[in-house]
Amino acid sequence: MKNRYLLAAVLCTLVLGCKNPEKSKSKPISSEIAKTASEKPEKKSDKKTYSDIITKKAITDLGLFQVHQVQDKYYYEIPKDLIGKDLLWVTRIAQIPANLSPYLNAGSKVNEQVVRWEVKHDKLLLKSISFDNVANDTIPLGKSVQQNNFSPILFGFDIELGATDSTGYLIQVGKLFEEDVPALSGLNPNLRKDYKVSRLDKSRSFIDTVKSFPTNIEVLHTMTYVAAAPPANKDAETLTLQMNQSMILLPEDKMTSRLYDERVGWFTTKKVDYSSEALKSDTKTYLRRWKLVPKDPAAYLRGELVEPVKPIVYYLDPATPRKFRKYFKQGIEDWQVAFEAAGFKNAIIAKDAPTPEEDPEFNPEDARYSVVRYVASTTRNAVGPSVSDPRTGEIIESDIIWYHNHLRSYRNRYLIETGAANPTARTLDTSPEEIGEMMRRVISHEIGHALGLPHNMKASSAYPTDSLRSGSFTQKFGIATTIMDYARFNYIAQPGDQDIRFVRQMGPYDYYAIEYGYRWYPNVTTPEDEKQILHHFVSKHSEDPIYQFGSGSSGYDPDSQTESVGADAIKASTYGLKNLKIVAKNLIDWTAKPDENYEDLEEIYGELLGIWSRYIGHVATNIGGVHQTLRTQDQPGAIYQPVPANTQRAATEWMAQYALVSPEWLLDPQIVQRISYKGVTDKIGSLHNRALAGVFNPEAMARMLDNELMHPSEKVYTLQEMIATISQGIWKDVLAKGSSDPIQRQLQRSYVSRVETILKDKKTTSTDIDALLKANLRLITAKLKTASGPAVVKAHYLDMAERIDSILKGKEA
C-alpha cells in the first residue's frame, strides 16, 4: 500500500505538477480510487423511452389520436382527455367470401356499440357501454343503476408508456384485431355452426391498415378461420373475411332527444329511466333521427325555407352502373320535398364518390361517409340501415345496400302485376327508363328507412280501391300514401283504364312523418319541452286514414298488410285475380325469346303462383280480423274494432269461391309441359295449405269467439257459420254429390290435416273451436261413408272417413 502511495505521488509530481498531496486541500487520489473501487457500476435502466418504441422507422398518422406502425406492430397513442369519452364502435364486413349469407355483403354492419377507454392499474381497458338503463347521477338510485349495469370489458392492454411519458397512453393494439374477439367478428354463432368453424388461425390473421381521421379511427383487418365446411372453396377448409372497425368520437354537444308517438311510425331507441317520479321505472322511447339545425333560425321561424347547418349527404358507390346513377340520385333527393314540409331546403344531397385523385382518403367503410352501395350479389333485395348514437338517437351515418339481382324481381313483378292493363310491361326487355323509375322508388324507400321511417303497411288501404283505376287520381296521388309501404305496383287497374300510374311514389304521409320528426323548435333543451307541440300536431292528423300508421306485423288488421293496395281487400283481390288470368293466358308469348330455353317462363310462372297466393291472403285476413286505429286517451273511440260481419261473410264466401277450388286457369298444359315433368299438383297443394291456414287460424277463430261474447245482441259473424261455409265449398262433391278431381281430393286431405293440427293444439282444447270442428268432421264422415263415385273417388272417400274416425277417437280418448 505504501509503495502504491509513493508511486502515485511521483506520477502526480512528474506528470501533473501536483503539490505535495499531504498539503493539498483536495482529497487524496488514493481515497478516490478506493471509493470508485468500492462502488458497483451503475446499471443501465430497463425502462423504455418513447423513442425506443416509436422509432425513426415508425409511420405515424395524425387524427383523433396518433396511430403508429413500427414494422409489423401497431400502436395507439390515446390522449388523456379521451379517457372516459363515449366512442361509437361500428363493425362492418369489408370483403366477404361467396355464399356466406344472402343478406351479408361487403359493407354489411354486423355490430355497433358504445365504448370507453378506462385506465385500471397498469392496464388500459376497452369497455362496452350500455344506455338501456339510466338514472340521474344526482339521485341515490343512480348508484344502484350503475352497480346493476356493470360494463363488460372487451379487451385489456398493457400500457407501454403512461400519459406523463408521451402525449398519451401508448398501447400495442395488434392482439385486439388478430384474436377472435366476438364483438368484432363477422361470424355470428349460427354461421360458425353452419360452416363448422373451429378456431381463428392467428398465423393467417393480421392488420391491413390503420388510419386516423379527425373524428374517427378506421382499421381494416383480415380474419382467417379454420372451417370444415366453408361456403366457398371447400377443399381449402378455410373461411376468410376482411373486417372494418370504425371508432367514432360521439358529439359532446348532444342532440336533444325527441319523444316517440306511436301514431307515427319511427325507428326508436329505448331507455329504462329510474329517475321517474312514478312508482316504477319509466320506459322512455326516442326517435332515431339526423340532427338538423337551421343555419338562420330567425328566417326559419319566419316560415322561410332554410338550409341546415349540416345537410345529409349520400355518396354513390363507384360500382354503381353509370346508366342507373341518375335514378339513384333522384331517389335520394326526392326526400328534399318532404324536408321542405319541415322547413328545410337542400336537407339531403346526393353526390358521386370522389375519385382517388380528388380525395385519396375517401373510403366507403369510413364512418364519416354515408354511401349507397351497389353490391354484386344474387340476393333480390335492398336495405337501408343506419348507425345512431344510443345516448340521444342521433343518426351518425348510414349505408344503403342495393343488391344487383333486385332488378330482376321488379322486372318480373311489373309484368305479372301490371301486364294485363299496361302494354309496356308485356316483355322481359323492360325499358331502361321504366327500370330506372322502379329503382328510383326503391332507393327512396330505403333512404326513408335511413331517415328513421319503418314500413307503414296501413298506408296502402287509405285510398278507395276504385280510385286506383283513375288516371287523374293515380298520377296525382300515386297508389299509396307513402313510399314506405310495400305497395310496389298498381295491380287494380283493368284493361282499358287510361293514363294509369302503375309504379309507387312518395305521398302525403311521407311529408307528414318528416315534419313530425325533423321540424326544429327553438328553446328546446329537454324532450319534454316539445312534447305538447308534437302531440297536438299528430292529434290533428291521426284520425285521417291518409296519415295513419300500421306496421303490418300484427297479422289481424286487414288494413295493414304487406303488398296490398286499396281500401277493400276483397275487391282489390278480385281485380288482381282477373288480371292474373289474363297474364297467365299470354305468359308464353310475353316471355318468349328466340334461341332461349324456358327458364324465364318457369321463373315467372312460379312467381305468378306466389302472387295469387298473396291476393288470397289479403282476403283471408278479414275473417276474424280486427281494425286497429292508434289513439291516445284524449281521443274518442276504440282502438280495436272487429271487421264488420258482412265483410267477414263476404271474405269467407270469396275464399270458398276463388281460393279453395281447383284453379284450372293455372294448369294450362301449354305452360306446364314446357317447364316441368312433375310437381304441379304439389305446388297447388302447397298454396291451398297456406290458404287453409289463413282461414282456419286458431288465433283468428278465437277472436271470432271473443266477438260473439262481447257483442251478444249484435249480428256478428260466427265461427260456426265460417266453418260451415268453408266446409261446404271444399266437400261440395260429397255433400251435394258434385264432381271430384285430383286437386279437389288433395284439398280435402289438406282440410282434414289442418283440422287435426288445430285439434292437437292444447290452446284450443277447452274452447268452442274444438267442439265446432269435431261436429263438422262428424257431419263429413257420415256423408263420406254413403257417398259413391268412380273407384279412385270411392277409395279416397273411405280413406278420409277412416282418417276422420281416427282423429275423433284420438280426441275422445
Side-chain angles (χ1 to χ4, degrees):
M1 188 75 179
K2 184 176 179 181
N3 292 335
R4 289 176 58 194
Y5 171 76
L6 289 172
L7 178 60
V10 172
L11 289 173
C12 181
T13 302
L14 294 175
V15 178
L16 301 175
C18 293
K19 296 180 179 179
N20 188 324
E22 290 184 338
K23 295 180 179 179
S24 175
K25 292 182 180 179
S26 302
K27 292 182 181 179
I29 291 180
S30 59
S31 65
E32 291 293 323
I33 294 173
K35 181 181 177 182
T36 302
S38 65
E39 288 179 351
K40 295 181 179 179
E42 185 176 327
K43 286 186 176 180
K44 187 176 180 180
S45 174
D46 291 334
K47 185 177 181 182
K48 290 183 178 181
T49 65
Y50 185 83
S51 60
D52 290 332
I53 302 171
I54 308 303
T55 67
K56 292 181 180 180
K57 295 182 178 180
I59 301 172
T60 297
D61 196 12
L62 304 179
L64 179 62
F65 52 73
Q66 294 188 63
V67 298
H68 309 281
Q69 180 183 356
V70 183
Q71 294 178 333
D72 62 344
K73 295 180 180 179
Y74 289 85
Y75 296 89
Y76 282 180
E77 191 172 334
I78 303 174
K80 192 174 182 179
D81 60 7
L82 278 183
I83 302 302
K85 293 292 180 66
D86 291 333
L87 301 122
L88 188 64
W89 192 296
V90 183
T91 300
R92 282 193 174 88
I93 299 174
Q95 295 194 69
I96 191 170
N99 308 319
L100 183 70
S101 175
Y103 292 103
L104 285 179
N105 53 265
S108 289
K109 180 185 69 175
V110 292
N111 195 17
E112 67 177 89
Q113 57 194 317
V114 173
V115 299
R116 287 179 191 156
W117 295 101
E118 182 180 301
V119 178
K120 191 74 171 179
H121 305 308
D122 60 347
K123 295 280 188 182
L124 190 60
L125 307 179
L126 182 63
K127 303 183 76 172
S128 180
I129 309 300
S130 171
F131 295 91
D132 293 342
N133 299 297
V134 297
N136 194 316
D137 293 338
T138 61
I139 65 172
L141 191 56
K143 181 70 173 176
S144 178
V145 170
Q146 184 179 9
Q147 291 172 337
N148 287 282
N149 291 273
F150 195 48
S151 300
I153 299 170
L154 298 179
F155 212 86
F157 302 86
D158 292 329
I159 298 175
E160 302 282 339
L161 287 175
T164 58
D165 300 307
S166 67
T167 58
Y169 292 95
L170 192 66
I171 58 172
Q172 186 178 337
V173 295
K175 289 184 178 180
L176 176 63
F177 303 109
E178 294 165 1
E179 294 189 1
D180 195 5
V181 180
L184 309 184
S185 172
L187 295 181
N188 60 41
N190 288 335
L191 290 175
R192 291 171 186 253
K193 182 179 179 181
D194 290 344
Y195 300 125
K196 298 181 180 179
V197 172
S198 57
R199 62 183 175 86
L200 180 76
D201 186 348
K202 294 181 183 179
S203 69
R204 293 180 286 166
S205 301
F206 47 83
I207 296 173
D208 295 285
T209 61
V210 180
K211 294 184 179 181
S212 185
F213 298 101
T215 60
N216 55 302
I217 306 292
E218 302 292 327
V219 179
L220 273 174
H221 63 111
T222 297
M223 305 181 78
T224 300
Y225 296 88
V226 177
N233 302 314
K234 297 186 183 300
D235 291 342
E237 295 192 353
T238 294
L239 194 161
T240 301
L241 297 164
Q242 187 183 58
M243 304 300 300
N244 187 93
Q245 310 291 344
S246 298
M247 185 171 62
I248 313 153
L249 180 64
L250 289 173
E252 293 281 344
D253 181 20
K254 298 179 184 177
M255 181 186 76
T256 301
S257 300
R258 178 160 291 183
L259 286 165
Y260 169 63
D261 188 322
E262 68 173 355
R263 294 172 295 174
V264 187
W266 212 275
F267 289 129
T268 60
T269 182
K270 290 185 178 182
K271 300 181 190 300
V272 178
D273 189 353
Y274 288 88
S275 304
S276 172
E277 294 297 326
L279 298 179
K280 64 176 182 63
S281 58
D282 188 6
T283 299
K284 293 183 178 179
T285 307
Y286 302 104
L287 307 189
R288 293 177 58 186
R289 60 196 184 113
W290 299 81
K291 184 178 181 180
L292 293 186
V293 178
K295 284 182 179 179
D296 186 344
Y300 184 93
L301 294 175
R302 290 195 300 268
E304 299 175 24
L305 292 179
V306 176
E307 291 185 344
V309 173
K310 184 181 179 182
I312 304 164
V313 179
Y314 277 94
Y315 294 92
L316 296 193
D317 189 333
T320 307
R322 294 187 183 279
K323 62 182 178 181
F324 295 138
R325 292 183 184 182
K326 69 176 182 179
Y327 301 112
F328 277 33
K329 289 180 179 178
Q330 288 173 340
I332 295 166
E333 294 186 347
D334 279 343
W335 285 96
Q336 287 187 355
V337 179
F339 278 107
E340 288 175 5
F344 292 101
K345 67 178 179 181
N346 300 324
I348 184 167
I349 300 168
K351 293 183 178 182
D352 289 318
T355 64
E357 292 74 24
E358 292 169 334
D359 184 358
E361 296 294 336
F362 181 84
N363 185 337
E365 272 74 49
D366 187 338
R368 293 179 298 167
Y369 303 115
S370 295
V371 181
V372 179
R373 304 182 67 111
Y374 196 101
V375 177
S377 169
T378 58
T379 298
R380 297 188 180 186
N381 205 354
V383 294
S386 63
V387 173
S388 64
D389 182 347
R391 306 171 306 172
T392 63
E394 179 183 353
I395 295 175
I396 305 299
E397 66 90 41
S398 84
D399 284 320
I400 308 301
I401 310 295
W402 173 279
Y403 300 96
H404 178 69
N405 274 23
H406 204 29
L407 293 170
R408 194 173 181 91
S409 294
Y410 275 82
R411 180 204 69 175
N412 292 356
R413 290 189 57 175
Y414 190 53
L415 185 154
I416 297 167
E417 296 198 66
T418 77
N422 179 15
T424 65
R426 299 166 187 170
T427 176
L428 295 179
D429 297 321
T430 312
S431 72
E433 292 75 21
E434 289 175 292
I435 285 291
E437 172 68 6
M438 296 174 212
M439 294 179 76
R440 171 184 178 179
R441 303 308 173 178
V442 176
I443 293 298
S444 287
H445 178 95
E446 302 308 336
I447 290 289
H449 285 322
L451 296 175
L453 305 184
H455 293 132
N456 180 5
M457 300 305 183
K458 201 176 187 72
S460 54
S461 66
Y463 293 154
T465 301
D466 282 323
S467 293
L468 301 183
R469 297 188 60 187
S470 163
S472 59
F473 183 92
T474 56
Q475 292 296 342
K476 182 176 181 179
F477 297 106
I479 60 177
T481 66
T482 177
I483 197 74
M484 301 313 298
D485 201 328
Y486 273 174
R488 293 182 172 91
F489 296 110
N490 181 354
Y491 59 82
I492 303 298
Q494 298 293 293
D497 294 343
Q498 298 296 313
D499 197 29
I500 298 296
R501 179 170 183 84
F502 290 99
V503 180
R504 61 180 169 173
Q505 65 183 24
M506 292 181 65
Y509 175 87
D510 299 314
Y511 311 141
Y512 157 72
I514 290 297
E515 182 170 7
Y516 158 73
Y518 284 97
R519 178 158 290 279
W520 179 81
Y521 299 101
N523 305 317
V524 172
T525 57
T526 71
E528 286 70 23
D529 291 341
E530 59 185 14
K531 182 177 180 180
Q532 288 305 314
I533 298 173
L534 293 168
H535 177 77
H536 176 72
F537 173 77
V538 176
S539 295
K540 188 170 65 175
H541 293 83
S542 65
E543 293 295 322
D544 187 337
I546 288 175
Y547 302 110
Q548 289 178 351
F549 171 74
S551 67
S553 60
S554 65
Y556 56 74
D557 186 353
D559 290 341
S560 186
Q561 299 193 76
T562 181
E563 312 285 356
S564 64
V565 293
D568 185 336
I570 301 171
K571 181 181 285 188
S573 289
T574 302
Y575 281 138
L577 187 58
K578 285 181 180 179
N579 284 338
L580 287 185
K581 289 179 178 180
I582 294 171
V583 172
K585 285 182 180 179
N586 294 278
L587 207 54
I588 295 175
D589 291 338
W590 292 354
T591 61
K593 285 186 176 182
D595 303 323
E596 299 240 353
N597 60 24
Y598 289 101
E599 182 179 341
D600 285 323
L601 176 65
E602 181 179 5
E603 179 180 316
I604 292 178
Y605 177 75
E607 291 190 29
L608 187 148
L609 292 179
I611 290 171
W612 172 60
S613 178
R614 190 181 300 135
Y615 294 167
I616 289 170
H618 293 160
V619 175
T621 306
N622 284 274
I623 304 170
V626 177
H627 293 301
Q628 180 189 48
T629 304
L630 297 171
R631 292 186 170 103
T632 53
Q633 293 185 32
D634 57 323
Q635 293 178 301
I639 293 177
Y640 303 105
Q641 288 281 5
V643 171
N646 288 341
T647 303
Q648 293 195 55
R649 183 175 293 108
T652 306
E653 291 171 353
W654 191 96
M655 293 294 290
Q657 181 179 354
Y658 294 108
L660 299 172
V661 293
S662 297
E664 295 178 3
W665 61 279
L666 281 174
L667 301 173
D668 183 353
Q670 294 297 318
I671 295 176
V672 174
Q673 292 176 2
R674 281 171 167 80
I675 63 175
S676 179
Y677 66 92
K678 66 171 185 176
V680 175
T681 303
D682 290 341
K683 287 180 180 178
I684 301 299
S686 177
L687 297 178
H688 276 151
N689 285 338
R690 190 181 304 174
L692 274 169
V695 176
F696 281 4
N697 176 346
E699 292 187 4
M701 297 166 93
R703 290 195 294 270
M704 296 179 77
L705 293 177
D706 286 344
N707 198 24
E708 293 179 46
L709 175 65
M710 290 188 294
H711 306 280
S713 60
E714 298 179 19
K715 290 184 178 180
V716 298
Y717 187 59
T718 66
L719 179 59
Q720 181 178 4
E721 183 180 348
M722 186 274 281
I723 293 173
T725 300
I726 294 299
S727 177
Q728 287 167 8
I730 291 176
W731 298 94
K732 59 187 176 184
D733 56 316
V734 178
L735 301 176
K737 297 183 179 180
S739 60
S740 175
D741 62 41
I743 296 290
Q744 188 73 22
R745 294 193 290 275
Q746 178 177 258
L747 179 57
Q748 291 167 355
R749 285 190 286 271
S750 295
Y751 179 96
V752 172
S753 295
R754 181 63 191 168
V755 171
E756 181 180 17
T757 298
I758 296 174
L759 293 177
K760 287 181 177 180
D761 188 344
K762 293 181 181 179
K763 294 179 182 178
T764 67
T765 302
S766 58
T767 70
D768 287 344
I769 297 173
D770 247 32
L772 291 170
L773 288 175
K774 286 190 288 186
N776 180 256
L777 287 181
R778 292 188 186 98
L779 173 64
I780 293 169
T781 192
K783 295 287 186 179
L784 284 168
K785 291 176 180 178
T786 59
S788 60
V792 66
V793 174
K794 183 68 174 176
H796 165 72
Y797 289 163
L798 291 176
D799 178 54
M800 288 293 93
E802 290 175 1
R803 284 189 61 186
I804 292 172
D805 284 342
S806 177
I807 291 168
L808 292 172
K809 288 177 181 177
K811 287 297 292 183
E812 290 165 0

